[in-house]
Amino acid sequence: MIGSSSPPEPKSSSQASTSPIGSLTLLTSTGTPYAFLAASSLTAFRTALAATIIFNRRTSVHTIAVFGAGLQALWHIRLALLLRGADIHHVHIINRSFARARALMTEIYTADTWSHLRKANEKLDFSIVSADYGEYGRVLKERVRKADVLFCCTPSTAPLFPAEHLTSAEGRRKGRYISAVGSYRPHMVELHPDILRQAVAPEHSHHHHRHAQKGGVVVVDSLSACMQEAGEVRQAGLTPEQLVEVGELLMVKKASLREIAAGGEGEVGLKRWLMGGNVVYKSVGLGLMDICVGEDLVMLARERGFGTTIEGF
C-alpha cells in the first residue's frame, strides 16, 4: 500500500483549519492509483479515532466538553457516542462563534445519521457555550471543572482556558482525560503550557490536598513529530523522556494485563492512571494514519457499494 496526499496552499494562522482541504491518493505496490479520497473528512475521522483509544478505557465519561464546532469536533462527539453513548449524559460544545456551534447542534438533533445516537440514551443532553455569552468566563470555568473529558479541536494560537482551572488544588481533585488535537504547528496552543508541566511534574508525598493521580508523562501520537511541531510541548519545555507514544503505552498496558491474568501484580498504577487519573494526550497528526484508515475505508466502500468506480482509469 502506497499513499500520497495533495494539500492546498498553506493558510495564515487566522485562517487555519483542523481539517485542511486536500486529497489522498492510494496506490498499488506498482504505483498505480486505485483510490482517491477527500482528505478533510478522512483526517478528522482518523484524528478522533486515535483520540478515543484512551477515552474508551476511561471509567467516567459522564460529562464531555468539546472545544470547536468543525469536522474534528463533530467526529469526536460522534465516535464518543458510538463507543460510550450509554455512559454520556452531557456534551458541552464550546466555541467562539455561536452560529457555527448552533449549526453543529442542529445537525446532531435533526440529521438522520445521528438518529440512533440521539435515541440510545434518553438522559443525553447538549449545550452551547460561546464567547458571546455575558458570563462566558464563569460558565467556561464551570464546564471545564465539571468535565470528565475535554476534547480540544481548534487551531488556536492562545490557550482555550486559564491553566488555573485545572492546575489549582480544586481543579486537580477530579481525574480527566484531556485530548488536544487541533493545534499542529509550533505557534499554536490549545492548552496552557503549565497544564503540561504539571502533568509531568514529580508527585510530592507531603502534598496536603487530595488530587487525581497523574502519570508523569504526556501521551503523544508521535514523539518526534510532537517535539518538533506541538506548540504546547515546545512552549512547556518538555523533553523526550517526558513523552510517551500512545502505541507504546498500550503495549505496556497489554503486557501488564497479561501478567495480572497470570497471577502477578502487573502495572496496577498504570491501569489506574489510564482509567481514572489525569491523562493529557497531544496529537499533531500522522500521514501514515491517513493511508491506513483510508485503505480500510476503501475496502468497506467496495464491500457495501459506496463511492464511484471509474472503469479502465
Side-chain angles (χ1 to χ4, degrees):
M1 173 184 63
I2 304 172
S4 64
S5 61
S6 177
E9 291 297 314
K11 297 180 179 181
S12 66
S13 60
S14 62
Q15 297 175 306
S17 169
T18 56
S19 300
I21 298 172
S23 63
L24 175 71
T25 304
L26 297 178
L27 313 175
T28 66
S29 59
T30 59
T32 303
Y34 73 88
F36 299 94
L37 297 89
S40 56
S41 293
L42 174 63
T43 298
F45 170 69
R46 61 88 167 155
T47 302
L49 198 63
T52 53
I53 292 174
I54 296 176
F55 164 83
N56 202 31
R57 289 160 171 78
R58 299 293 289 182
T59 300
S60 177
V61 294
H62 184 277
T63 302
I64 298 176
V66 182
F67 286 87
L71 275 176
Q72 292 280 11
L74 180 151
W75 275 111
H76 277 74
I77 295 171
R78 186 168 180 81
L79 288 181
L81 294 177
L82 281 167
L83 292 168
R84 301 288 299 276
D87 302 317
I88 300 170
H89 290 187
H90 308 290
V91 177
H92 304 302
I93 301 171
I94 305 171
N95 196 59
R96 287 186 305 173
S97 165
F98 177 81
R100 192 168 185 186
R102 182 175 58 185
L104 174 58
M105 180 91 79
T106 299
E107 177 174 351
I108 293 172
Y109 272 107
T110 62
D112 291 340
T113 51
W114 288 83
S115 176
H116 63 296
L117 298 176
R118 295 194 303 268
K119 296 175 181 177
N121 184 354
E122 62 180 16
K123 296 181 180 179
L124 177 65
D125 70 64
F126 293 83
S127 72
I128 295 175
V129 179
S130 76
D132 302 331
Y133 185 56
E135 304 230 3
Y136 177 70
R138 178 186 63 79
V139 177
L140 175 65
K141 180 179 180 180
E142 179 182 280
R143 295 290 190 263
V144 169
R145 285 270 177 91
K146 289 186 176 180
D148 299 296
V149 178
L150 293 169
F151 286 137
C152 302
C153 310
T154 76
S156 181
T157 56
L160 298 173
F161 53 86
E164 293 77 14
H165 289 357
L166 298 183
T167 59
S168 65
E170 183 63 28
R172 298 175 67 191
R173 291 180 184 275
K174 185 184 184 75
R176 298 176 186 84
Y177 171 53
I178 306 168
S179 172
V181 305
S183 55
Y184 53 91
R185 290 287 183 262
H187 69 284
M188 294 178 170
V189 289
E190 294 182 287
L191 301 176
H192 193 288
D194 284 350
I195 295 173
L196 276 71
R197 293 188 188 107
Q198 185 182 80
V200 302
E203 291 279 12
H204 297 292
S205 58
H206 62 273
H207 204 289
H208 299 298
H209 299 285
R210 290 189 60 187
H211 55 76
Q213 180 181 356
K214 58 184 182 181
V217 293
V218 169
V219 184
V220 296
D221 56 348
S222 167
L223 191 152
S224 59
C226 282
M227 286 298 299
Q228 294 179 20
E229 300 291 341
E232 292 96 340
V233 171
R234 291 169 64 94
Q235 292 184 31
L238 302 191
T239 66
E241 292 74 25
Q242 294 170 317
L243 308 179
V244 60
E245 291 187 349
V246 64
E248 179 185 353
L249 187 67
L250 293 178
M251 285 190 290
V252 172
K253 183 174 184 290
K254 286 181 179 179
S256 69
L257 290 176
R258 284 196 296 269
E259 184 182 341
I260 292 172
E265 293 185 359
E267 292 288 342
V268 178
L270 173 63
K271 181 180 178 181
R272 188 185 305 117
W273 169 58
L274 286 176
M275 293 178 66
N278 277 313
V279 180
V280 178
Y281 169 69
K282 177 61 201 171
S283 167
V284 294
L286 292 171
L288 180 61
M289 290 178 62
D290 285 323
I291 298 173
C292 293
V293 174
E295 185 184 54
D296 285 345
L297 289 176
V298 170
M299 180 182 68
L300 286 171
R302 285 173 170 170
E303 290 176 356
R304 302 181 183 184
F306 289 106
T308 302
T309 299
I310 304 175
E311 299 295 342
F313 179 80

